[in-house]
Amino acid sequence: MRRSFAFLVAGLLAGVLALPAAATAAADGDEGFTISDPRITESSGLAASRLHPGIYWTHNDSDDGPYLYAVDSATGETVARITLTGVGTPRDVEAISIGPDNQIYVGDIGDNLGGSWAYVWVYRLTEPKELKDQSIRATQYVVKYSDGARDAESLVVHPRTGRVYIIDKNEDGGHLYEGPATLSPSGTNVFKPVAPVDLWATDAAFSPDGKQLAVRGYFGGIWYDWNGGKIKRKGRLSVPLGQGESVSYSADGTKLMLGSEGADSAVEAEDAPGDSGAGGSKSPSGNGSSADSASDGGSDGYKVGALAVAVAFAAVFGLRRLFRRS
């Protein structure tokens, strides 16, 4: 009986392990990771690479220099450090976003003194085709706001139009600022407020198809229907507790990746809300809340659940039989 029970449990476990990978993990492996590079202690922005599957670009908040880090989400290890040349000394780098044609935009837009700087900077560079430590020349843009200087930590680039947007950081809620249709490397680029954002925003991200805008803060998040720039609030997002500083959609649009500051900081994955576009799925409620947006996993999810119950039942039943026979 003991040997039969052992074979039963082993068989059931083998059945669980033999299920397709989609039953227990996302197909692309974007299930969260921990940044292990000791040089990254203030990860303040996050962007999923379009060229290199599973790679996320990040950077430190301040006091680091003009560096970007390519982190492999499968291992949490840095596979390349990019040094930006052709730019000044960064002051407070807070955001990173990838636009059309694999152009990386970096927002040196932080102003912790709440409007002490008359201008901020945005840097643009082409994402490298080869992941290795290297220097890349970037274009630097001077940015001002039409209604005065302010602090900001969120910069997004629309994946279809390439237009750059900034969301200012205000405890009572901020605004979405729209930049010129094309940024100019000479002169000043004036950003104008176009819509209120009901959040103390620390980062934001467009879905890969450009139809959604996710905005996060320290204690929560909101997702919007982009609606051609006339954003419509659709629902709330749950975010991990802690110094929440970054958000990115996964490259396929099915996940929201939520990062934080600190050494060995975690990047946690949540199902993307609503219709996430390329390869995405719709949450059961469509409102993006954590309680309602959990996926049921389809038929494979039910298989995992059923087998798990079977294993647990077999274990309890078998142990009871063993104790009775002893």
Side-chain angles (χ1 to χ4, degrees):
M1 174 64 188
R2 294 182 182 181
R3 181 175 297 179
S4 299
F5 169 68
F7 281 130
L8 172 63
V9 173
L12 288 171
L13 288 173
V16 172
L17 296 175
L19 283 173
T24 55
D28 291 337
D30 293 304
E31 287 296 299
F33 57 96
T34 297
I35 298 174
S36 61
D37 191 333
R39 296 171 297 181
I40 305 174
T41 58
E42 292 185 299
S43 175
S44 190
L46 197 67
S49 170
R50 304 295 189 266
L51 282 180
H52 309 286
I55 296 297
Y56 285 83
W57 292 98
T58 190
H59 54 81
N60 280 313
D61 188 338
S62 57
D63 300 325
D64 183 34
Y67 304 123
L68 301 180
Y69 300 85
V71 179
D72 186 348
S73 62
T75 63
E77 297 179 354
T78 297
V79 294
R81 187 176 82 160
I82 304 301
T83 302
L84 278 61
T85 63
V87 302
T89 301
R91 291 187 296 201
D92 192 355
V93 179
E94 292 287 357
I96 185 169
S97 182
I98 299 180
D101 302 320
N102 302 313
Q103 297 296 300
I104 299 177
Y105 291 76
V106 181
D108 190 356
I109 56 176
D111 185 351
N112 291 328
L113 299 179
S116 61
W117 294 333
Y119 59 86
V120 291
W121 296 316
V122 171
Y123 313 125
R124 178 180 60 83
L125 66 152
T126 300
E127 183 175 9
K129 294 182 179 180
E130 184 179 1
L131 292 177
K132 64 178 182 179
D133 291 356
Q134 57 189 295
S135 296
I136 297 179
R137 187 169 185 82
T139 301
Q140 179 170 314
Y141 303 99
V142 174
V143 168
K144 288 186 176 182
Y145 304 97
S146 63
D147 53 356
R150 59 202 54 252
D151 188 19
E153 296 189 2
S154 310
L155 176 144
V156 291
V157 183
H158 196 274
R160 296 289 185 263
T161 68
R163 198 156 195 160
V164 181
Y165 298 84
I166 293 173
I167 301 172
D168 64 335
K169 184 182 181 184
N170 191 310
E171 188 173 355
D172 297 324
H175 283 81
L176 175 72
Y177 284 79
E178 181 181 72
T182 302
L183 296 182
S184 171
S186 60
T188 300
N189 297 275
V190 178
F191 280 58
K192 301 177 181 180
V194 293
V197 174
D198 305 322
L199 196 71
W200 192 13
T202 60
D203 201 14
F206 274 116
S207 60
D209 60 11
K211 294 181 179 180
Q212 294 177 6
L213 175 67
V215 185
R216 76 157 300 171
Y218 295 124
F219 309 109
I222 300 172
W223 70 279
Y224 295 87
D225 177 8
W226 180 241
N227 191 37
K230 298 178 180 179
I231 58 175
K232 293 183 178 180
R233 178 170 172 160
K234 300 295 288 184
R236 298 197 64 84
L237 301 169
S238 65
V239 301
L241 295 178
Q243 187 73 9
E245 292 285 346
S246 61
V247 63
S248 173
Y249 279 82
S250 59
D252 66 0
T254 62
K255 297 287 184 180
L256 276 180
M257 312 298 289
L258 300 152
S260 59
E261 283 191 354
D264 297 319
S265 58
V267 177
E268 299 187 29
E270 299 282 352
D271 289 338
D275 184 359
S276 58
S281 59
K282 200 170 187 68
S283 64
S285 69
N287 68 5
S289 67
S290 61
D292 297 326
S293 64
S295 171
D296 63 8
S299 59
D300 286 335
Y302 287 120
K303 290 178 183 178
V304 172
L307 281 171
V309 171
V311 170
F313 176 79
V316 173
F317 178 76
L319 288 172
R320 289 179 63 187
R321 291 292 300 270
L322 287 175
F323 282 127
R324 286 176 182 174
R325 293 170 63 91
S326 62

